[in-house]
Amino acid sequence: MLGAAIPVLAHVGSPDVFYEGDAGPYHLFVTVRMPQVIPGVAEIQVRCENGDVNSVQIVPLRLNGPGSNLPPTPDAAKVSKDDPQFFTGSLWLMESGALQVRVMVDGAKGKGELSVPVASFAQRTFPMEKPLAGLMVAMLLILGIGVISIAGAGAREASLERGEAPGPSNARRARIVMVVTVIVVVGLLYLGKSWWALEDSDYQGRVNFYKPPTAETTLENGNHLVIRARGQNPKWSDRINMGEVVPDHNHLMHLFLIELPGMNRMWHLHPTLAEGGAFADDLPNMPAGHYQVFADVVDSRGFPWTLVGTVDLPEINGKPLAGDDSTWSGEAIASAPGKDNTVSQLPDGGRMIWERGPGPLKAATAMDFKFSVQDKDGKPAQDLEPYMGMAGHAEFVGSDLSVFAHVHPAGSVPMASLEMAQAGLMGDGSSMQSGMAMAPASGPMPAEVSFPYGFPKAGEYRIFVQVKRAGKVETGVFDASVQ
Amino acid sequence: MAGTISLQPPIQARSIERAYAETASIPWYIWCCMASVLSAVVGSAWDISWHETVGRDTFWTPAHMMIYLSGVLAGIACGYLILSTTFQKDSRLRDVSVSMWGFRGPLGAFICAWGAVAMIAAGPFDNWWHNSYGLDVKILSPPHVLLALGMTGIRFGALVLVLAEMNRAEGAYYRKLERMLFLAVVFLMGMTVGIMQEMTNRILMHGARFYLVMMIVAPIWIATVAWVSKNRWAATIMTAMWMAIHLAFVWILPLFPAVPKLGPVYQNVTHLVPPDFPMLLIVPAIVFDLLRQQTAMWSRWKQAATLGAAFLVSFVAVQWPFADFLLSPASRNRIFQTTNYPYFIPSTSPWVRNVFIHTDHTPGAFWLRMAIALVAAILMVRLGMAWGEWMRRIRR
C-alpha cells in the first residue's frame, strides 16, 4: 500500500515532521510542529482520512532504550469544530535527541496506534526584547538601590531605642555600610552577569550541537570521494559515532551532490562506511564544478543527521552508475519568483506532472504533494517499480540552500527511526503501522506518488522527485515559489 | 482614690510599656509575613516534587500558586504596614521605625517588600528564560536565583520583624517571639540549604565539594541563632525544627498518588517524589551548642575557629557513614525513602544505581577542598556570630 509514509527526517532548516501512516484501521496524517527551544512545546495535528475516529491521545517517549517504554499520562488531542476528523494537541518535549510521538486513536473501528519519530533539538536562543529588557533593568535598579538604602536605614536606625533620633555617628556608620553594600551589589551583579553569559554559552553549545555537521570532503585517486562529519560543537564527535550509523532504506548514507549555482545537475549516491567513521564512494562521471553536499545518515539512537558542505570537483572519469545510484541534469532553477512548473519531461519521452491544484503555495502548511507519471503516449505509466523499497523519493531544496528535506511517501522521517518507533508499539507493530512508505510487495504500482510535507518558510524551492521505471531511475524536477 | 497610689506620668508610661512588652500578642504583620514564608516553604517543596513527579505541565500548578501567594501576601502586608506607619501620625510603630525614600516602617517591612518586588521581577525574567532557552529542569538558574533572593528577602524581613519585636519584649511575650525567631531562622537555613540540593545529593556525600557547599550554607544560621537567642540550646532547637519540617515533607509527600504528565519517563513514578532524607545537621548543632558553652569566654575569632572546625569535623563524622547507609539496601524503606527518583532520571544514572560520584579527581584536590571547607566553616561561623550580635541590637 502506498498511502502510508515514512518521514525522512533530514533537518536542514526543516525541523517539522510530516507523517502519513496507519494506526490500525485508521489512515492518519500527522504533523509535528517542533518547538524552537528544548524543553519546549510541540504542536501536534492529526487528521484521519478514512474513518470515524472519536478520540486521539498523544504521548512523548524516547525513540528507543531507556525512556521508550514508560509513557507518561497521555494528553487528549482536541477535535476541531469544523472537521470532526481533525485533532490538535500540545506536547512538552523535555529532552533533546531521538524521541517519538505516539498517537493512540479510538473510534468506530476500534483502537489503533502509531508512532512518529521526531528529532528533538533546540534550534536557537532568543534575545530579550527591548521593552522587557528595559523593565528588567528598571527592576534591577530598584532592587539594587533598594538593598543599598535598606542597608543604610538598618545601620542608621535599626538599633535605636524607641523615639531616639539618629546621631552623626549613626549617619557615619550608615554611609560606611552603604558603600560596602554598593561594592557587594556590584560584585554580585558582575557574578550574575558572568554566570548568565556562561549559561547562554552552554545553551548556545546545545544549539550548535544539533546544527547540521559539516561534510568535510577529500578526493582521492581521481574519483574516490571521502566524507567526514565534523560537528558544530567540539563535543559532537565524542558523543556521536559515525561508525555506528544504521541503514536507512538499505543504505548507511544518502549523498546528494547538487551542482551550483543553478542546481541543474543532481546526483543521489550511496557511499559506504570507511575507516574511522568516514564515508567513501567512487564517483561516476561528473563535469568539473562547484557542488553542494547534503548527506543523510541516522545514528544508532535513531537521530537523523544531514551533513552539509560544498566541494569543488575536477572533471571526473568515474564508474558507471549502478544499483540505487541515480542522476539528473536539466535546466537551472528559475531565477525569479513565479516561474513554477508543474510538468517535467522524463528522458524516455514520458512526463511527470505535479497535481498541485490552484492557488499559491503557502509556507508552514502541511500538504500532500502528488505527482503522476505518464508514459510517452500520455497514459498513466504502468512500469513503476519500488525505488529503494519505496514508491518514490523527493528532495525539497531551498534556492538559498538553507532548506533541504529528503521526503518519502510516508513523510519526512527516516525509515531507520521509524523501525525503532514501531518496535515499541503494543502488539504486532508491523501490522499496527503498516504500509509505511514501503512499496507493495506484489502487483502493479500506481502511476501516482505522493509526499506529505510542508515548506518551512517562504522562498524559491526546487523539488526533485525520483521514481523507478522498468529498472531505471527517473527524476522529475519542479520549481516552486512559496509565499 | 483611696487605696491607690498615684504614679508620675513617665513611670506610668514605662510601666504600661513593660506590661505591653510582657503580655502583648504577636502583631498581625508578623503572622502575615510568617504565613507568607510558610506558603513559600510548602509551595517550594511541593513544586520541586511536582517537577520531579508530574512535570511542569503549566505555570498554573497549585504549587506555583503557593509560591507566588507568598510574594503577594508579604507585599500587601508590608506595603500596608509601611504606608500606615508613614501616613498615620498616631501609629504605634512610628517611633520604632526606620525611614527610607520618605517612607517609615519597621526595617523588616522594607526588607520583606524588597523580597516581594524581587519575586515579582523574577516572574517575567523566568518566563523569558523558558522561552529563550527552554524550560529549565534545574533549580540553579539566574531567574530562579532572583526568585530565591526574593523569597530569602521575605524570610529575612520576617526574621527582622520578629527580632525588633522580640528585642523590645520581656517575659512570656519574649519567649513566644523566640519560638518565632527559631522558625524564621529554620526557614532561612531551609532556603540556602534547599537551593543547593543539586550539589547535596546523597551520591555526592563522599566528595569534598558537598562538605564545602554545606559549610557555606549551614553554619552561618547555626551561629546566628545561637548568638541572637538567649537559649543555650538555640542551635540544637533550630536544627531539630529544620529536620522535623524536612522529615514531614519526606514522609507526607509520598502519601499523595501522582503520575508523570511529561516525557520521556524513565522511572515508574506513582506518587509525589519526596525530597532526600535530611542531612544529620542536628549532630554538629549539638556539638556547637556544647562547645559554645565551654568557650564562652574565649576571643571571638578563637571561638569561631573552634566552633567552625568542630562543626565540620562532627558533620563529616556522621554524614559520611550515613551516606553509606543511604546508598545501602537497608535504607530502602518508608522511613528513609531512598527509592524515589524523579521521572526524568534514567536508571543508568549513578543516583539510581546508588553509586557515589567522586567530585574530586585526586586526593590532593579532595584535601584542598576540605581545607577550604574548614576555612569557610570558620568564616561563616564568625559571620553568623557578628550577625547574631547585630540582630540582638535590632529594635526597629
Short mmCIF file of all heavy atoms in Angstrom, two decimals, chain B residues 313-347:
data_model
loop_
_atom_site.label_atom_id
_atom_site.label_comp_id
_atom_site.label_asym_id
_atom_site.label_seq_id
_atom_site.Cartn_x
_atom_site.Cartn_y
_atom_site.Cartn_z
N VAL B 313 34.06 18.85 61.41
CA VAL B 313 34.53 17.50 61.77
C VAL B 313 33.35 16.63 62.22
O VAL B 313 33.20 15.48 61.77
CB VAL B 313 35.60 17.59 62.88
CG1 VAL B 313 35.92 16.20 63.44
CG2 VAL B 313 36.86 18.25 62.33
N SER B 314 32.48 17.17 63.05
CA SER B 314 31.36 16.35 63.53
C SER B 314 30.37 16.05 62.41
O SER B 314 29.80 14.96 62.35
CB SER B 314 30.65 17.03 64.71
OG SER B 314 30.21 18.31 64.32
N PHE B 315 30.23 17.01 61.48
CA PHE B 315 29.33 16.75 60.35
C PHE B 315 29.88 15.64 59.46
O PHE B 315 29.15 14.73 59.07
CB PHE B 315 29.12 18.04 59.56
CG PHE B 315 28.14 17.91 58.43
CD1 PHE B 315 26.85 17.45 58.66
CD2 PHE B 315 28.49 18.24 57.13
CE1 PHE B 315 25.94 17.31 57.62
CE2 PHE B 315 27.59 18.11 56.08
CZ PHE B 315 26.31 17.63 56.33
N VAL B 316 31.18 15.72 59.16
CA VAL B 316 31.78 14.67 58.32
C VAL B 316 31.67 13.33 59.05
O VAL B 316 31.34 12.31 58.44
CB VAL B 316 33.27 15.00 58.03
CG1 VAL B 316 33.93 13.84 57.29
CG2 VAL B 316 33.39 16.27 57.20
N ALA B 317 31.90 13.35 60.35
CA ALA B 317 31.91 12.10 61.12
C ALA B 317 30.56 11.38 61.06
O ALA B 317 30.51 10.15 61.05
CB ALA B 317 32.28 12.39 62.58
N VAL B 318 29.47 12.13 61.01
CA VAL B 318 28.17 11.44 60.97
C VAL B 318 27.63 11.30 59.54
O VAL B 318 27.05 10.28 59.19
CB VAL B 318 27.09 12.15 61.83
CG1 VAL B 318 27.43 12.01 63.29
CG2 VAL B 318 26.92 13.60 61.44
N GLN B 319 27.86 12.31 58.70
CA GLN B 319 27.23 12.28 57.38
C GLN B 319 27.92 11.29 56.45
O GLN B 319 27.27 10.66 55.62
CB GLN B 319 27.23 13.69 56.77
CG GLN B 319 26.24 13.87 55.63
CD GLN B 319 24.79 13.68 56.05
OE1 GLN B 319 24.39 14.06 57.14
NE2 GLN B 319 24.00 13.04 55.20
N TRP B 320 29.24 11.17 56.58
CA TRP B 320 29.99 10.25 55.69
C TRP B 320 29.47 8.82 55.83
O TRP B 320 29.05 8.22 54.83
CB TRP B 320 31.49 10.36 55.99
CG TRP B 320 32.36 9.67 54.99
CD1 TRP B 320 32.53 8.32 54.85
CD2 TRP B 320 33.17 10.28 53.98
NE1 TRP B 320 33.39 8.05 53.82
CE2 TRP B 320 33.81 9.24 53.27
CE3 TRP B 320 33.42 11.60 53.62
CZ2 TRP B 320 34.69 9.48 52.21
CZ3 TRP B 320 34.30 11.83 52.57
CH2 TRP B 320 34.93 10.79 51.88
N PRO B 321 29.47 8.25 57.06
CA PRO B 321 28.91 6.87 57.18
C PRO B 321 27.41 6.82 56.91
O PRO B 321 26.92 5.81 56.40
CB PRO B 321 29.23 6.47 58.63
CG PRO B 321 29.53 7.75 59.34
CD PRO B 321 30.04 8.72 58.33
N PHE B 322 26.69 7.91 57.22
CA PHE B 322 25.25 7.90 56.96
C PHE B 322 24.98 7.83 55.46
O PHE B 322 24.00 7.22 55.02
CB PHE B 322 24.61 9.16 57.57
CG PHE B 322 23.11 9.14 57.55
CD1 PHE B 322 22.40 8.13 58.18
CD2 PHE B 322 22.40 10.13 56.88
CE1 PHE B 322 21.02 8.11 58.15
CE2 PHE B 322 21.01 10.11 56.85
CZ PHE B 322 20.31 9.10 57.48
N ALA B 323 25.87 8.44 54.67
CA ALA B 323 25.72 8.37 53.21
C ALA B 323 25.86 6.92 52.74
O ALA B 323 25.13 6.47 51.85
CB ALA B 323 26.76 9.26 52.54
N ASP B 324 26.79 6.19 53.37
CA ASP B 324 26.93 4.76 53.04
C ASP B 324 25.62 4.04 53.31
O ASP B 324 25.16 3.23 52.51
CB ASP B 324 28.03 4.13 53.91
CG ASP B 324 29.42 4.43 53.38
OD1 ASP B 324 29.60 4.37 52.15
OD2 ASP B 324 30.30 4.74 54.19
N PHE B 325 25.04 4.37 54.45
CA PHE B 325 23.76 3.74 54.81
C PHE B 325 22.66 4.10 53.80
O PHE B 325 21.89 3.25 53.36
CB PHE B 325 23.35 4.18 56.22
CG PHE B 325 21.94 3.80 56.58
CD1 PHE B 325 21.63 2.49 56.91
CD2 PHE B 325 20.93 4.75 56.56
CE1 PHE B 325 20.32 2.14 57.22
CE2 PHE B 325 19.62 4.41 56.87
CZ PHE B 325 19.32 3.09 57.20
N LEU B 326 22.62 5.39 53.42
CA LEU B 326 21.56 5.83 52.49
C LEU B 326 21.67 5.14 51.12
O LEU B 326 20.68 4.98 50.43
CB LEU B 326 21.61 7.35 52.30
CG LEU B 326 21.16 8.19 53.50
CD1 LEU B 326 21.35 9.66 53.22
CD2 LEU B 326 19.70 7.91 53.87
N LEU B 327 22.88 4.75 50.77
CA LEU B 327 23.04 4.07 49.48
C LEU B 327 22.88 2.55 49.62
O LEU B 327 22.92 1.84 48.62
CB LEU B 327 24.42 4.39 48.89
CG LEU B 327 24.44 5.53 47.87
CD1 LEU B 327 23.95 6.82 48.48
CD2 LEU B 327 25.81 5.71 47.25
N SER B 328 22.71 2.08 50.84
CA SER B 328 22.61 0.63 51.04
C SER B 328 21.14 0.19 50.99
O SER B 328 20.22 0.99 51.18
CB SER B 328 23.19 0.27 52.42
OG SER B 328 22.28 0.69 53.41
N PRO B 329 20.90 -1.10 50.75
CA PRO B 329 19.52 -1.61 50.71
C PRO B 329 18.77 -1.37 52.02
O PRO B 329 17.54 -1.26 52.02
CB PRO B 329 19.70 -3.10 50.44
CG PRO B 329 21.05 -3.23 49.82
CD PRO B 329 21.88 -2.14 50.41
N ALA B 330 19.50 -1.27 53.13
CA ALA B 330 18.84 -1.10 54.44
C ALA B 330 18.03 0.19 54.52
O ALA B 330 17.11 0.30 55.33
CB ALA B 330 19.89 -1.12 55.54
N SER B 331 18.36 1.18 53.66
CA SER B 331 17.66 2.47 53.74
C SER B 331 16.42 2.50 52.84
O SER B 331 15.70 3.49 52.83
CB SER B 331 18.60 3.59 53.32
OG SER B 331 18.84 3.51 51.93
N ARG B 332 16.21 1.44 52.09
CA ARG B 332 15.12 1.48 51.09
C ARG B 332 13.79 1.11 51.76
O ARG B 332 13.27 0.01 51.59
CB ARG B 332 15.45 0.56 49.92
CG ARG B 332 16.64 1.11 49.15
CD ARG B 332 17.23 0.15 48.15
NE ARG B 332 18.64 0.50 47.92
CZ ARG B 332 19.52 -0.28 47.35
NH1 ARG B 332 19.18 -1.47 46.94
NH2 ARG B 332 20.77 0.13 47.21
N ASN B 333 13.30 2.01 52.55
CA ASN B 333 12.04 1.78 53.26
C ASN B 333 11.31 3.10 53.43
O ASN B 333 11.78 4.15 53.00
CB ASN B 333 12.31 1.12 54.61
CG ASN B 333 13.35 1.90 55.40
OD1 ASN B 333 13.23 3.12 55.51
ND2 ASN B 333 14.36 1.23 55.92
N ARG B 334 10.16 3.05 54.09
CA ARG B 334 9.31 4.24 54.22
C ARG B 334 9.94 5.31 55.10
O ARG B 334 9.57 6.48 55.00
CB ARG B 334 7.95 3.83 54.81
CG ARG B 334 7.06 3.18 53.79
CD ARG B 334 5.83 2.60 54.46
NE ARG B 334 5.03 1.88 53.47
CZ ARG B 334 3.89 2.35 52.98
NH1 ARG B 334 3.42 3.51 53.36
NH2 ARG B 334 3.22 1.66 52.08
N ILE B 335 10.84 4.91 55.96
CA ILE B 335 11.47 5.89 56.85
C ILE B 335 12.45 6.75 56.05
O ILE B 335 12.40 7.98 56.09
CB ILE B 335 12.23 5.18 58.00
CG1 ILE B 335 11.30 4.26 58.77
CG2 ILE B 335 12.88 6.22 58.91
CD1 ILE B 335 10.22 4.95 59.56
N PHE B 336 13.32 6.11 55.31
CA PHE B 336 14.40 6.85 54.65
C PHE B 336 14.08 7.19 53.19
O PHE B 336 14.74 8.04 52.60
CB PHE B 336 15.71 6.07 54.77
CG PHE B 336 16.17 5.94 56.19
CD1 PHE B 336 15.92 4.78 56.91
CD2 PHE B 336 16.79 6.99 56.83
CE1 PHE B 336 16.30 4.67 58.24
CE2 PHE B 336 17.17 6.90 58.16
CZ PHE B 336 16.93 5.73 58.87
N GLN B 337 13.10 6.53 52.61
CA GLN B 337 12.54 6.90 51.30
C GLN B 337 13.62 7.05 50.22
O GLN B 337 13.62 8.04 49.48
CB GLN B 337 11.76 8.22 51.43
CG GLN B 337 10.53 8.12 52.29
CD GLN B 337 9.34 7.50 51.59
OE1 GLN B 337 9.40 7.16 50.41
NE2 GLN B 337 8.25 7.31 52.30
N THR B 338 14.52 6.11 50.13
CA THR B 338 15.60 6.26 49.15
C THR B 338 15.32 5.55 47.83
O THR B 338 16.23 5.35 47.03
CB THR B 338 16.93 5.74 49.74
OG1 THR B 338 16.72 4.41 50.21
CG2 THR B 338 17.42 6.63 50.85
N THR B 339 14.09 5.16 47.61
CA THR B 339 13.79 4.52 46.32
C THR B 339 12.96 5.42 45.42
O THR B 339 12.39 4.97 44.44
CB THR B 339 13.03 3.19 46.54
OG1 THR B 339 11.89 3.49 47.35
CG2 THR B 339 13.89 2.16 47.20
N ASN B 340 12.88 6.69 45.78
CA ASN B 340 12.08 7.63 44.98
C ASN B 340 13.00 8.47 44.10
O ASN B 340 13.86 9.18 44.60
CB ASN B 340 11.30 8.56 45.90
CG ASN B 340 10.31 7.78 46.74
OD1 ASN B 340 9.27 7.40 46.26
ND2 ASN B 340 10.66 7.51 47.99
N TYR B 341 12.79 8.38 42.81
CA TYR B 341 13.60 9.16 41.87
C TYR B 341 12.66 9.96 40.98
O TYR B 341 11.59 9.49 40.63
CB TYR B 341 14.47 8.24 41.01
CG TYR B 341 15.31 7.30 41.82
CD1 TYR B 341 14.92 5.98 42.00
CD2 TYR B 341 16.48 7.74 42.42
CE1 TYR B 341 15.68 5.12 42.77
CE2 TYR B 341 17.25 6.88 43.19
CZ TYR B 341 16.84 5.57 43.37
OH TYR B 341 17.59 4.72 44.13
N PRO B 342 13.10 11.15 40.57
CA PRO B 342 12.30 11.91 39.61
C PRO B 342 12.09 11.10 38.33
O PRO B 342 12.96 10.30 37.96
CB PRO B 342 13.16 13.15 39.34
CG PRO B 342 14.04 13.28 40.54
CD PRO B 342 14.29 11.88 41.01
N TYR B 343 10.98 11.35 37.67
CA TYR B 343 10.65 10.56 36.48
C TYR B 343 11.69 10.67 35.38
O TYR B 343 11.84 9.79 34.54
CB TYR B 343 9.26 10.97 35.94
CG TYR B 343 9.24 12.30 35.21
CD1 TYR B 343 9.53 12.38 33.85
CD2 TYR B 343 8.96 13.49 35.88
CE1 TYR B 343 9.53 13.59 33.20
CE2 TYR B 343 8.96 14.69 35.24
CZ TYR B 343 9.25 14.75 33.89
OH TYR B 343 9.28 15.95 33.24
N PHE B 344 12.46 11.77 35.39
CA PHE B 344 13.38 12.02 34.27
C PHE B 344 14.80 11.51 34.53
O PHE B 344 15.70 11.80 33.76
CB PHE B 344 13.42 13.51 33.94
CG PHE B 344 13.59 14.43 35.13
CD1 PHE B 344 14.84 14.60 35.70
CD2 PHE B 344 12.50 15.08 35.68
CE1 PHE B 344 15.00 15.42 36.80
CE2 PHE B 344 12.66 15.92 36.79
CZ PHE B 344 13.92 16.08 37.35
N ILE B 345 14.99 10.76 35.61
CA ILE B 345 16.33 10.24 35.89
C ILE B 345 16.46 8.83 35.32
O ILE B 345 15.77 7.90 35.75
CB ILE B 345 16.60 10.21 37.41
CG1 ILE B 345 16.49 11.61 38.01
CG2 ILE B 345 17.98 9.61 37.71
CD1 ILE B 345 17.53 12.60 37.52
N PRO B 346 17.34 8.62 34.33
CA PRO B 346 17.47 7.27 33.76
C PRO B 346 18.03 6.28 34.79
O PRO B 346 18.75 6.67 35.71
CB PRO B 346 18.49 7.47 32.62
CG PRO B 346 18.52 8.94 32.35
CD PRO B 346 18.17 9.61 33.65
N SER B 347 17.68 5.03 34.60
CA SER B 347 18.14 4.00 35.54
C SER B 347 19.63 3.79 35.47
O SER B 347 20.21 3.15 36.35
CB SER B 347 17.41 2.68 35.26
OG SER B 347 16.04 2.87 35.54
#
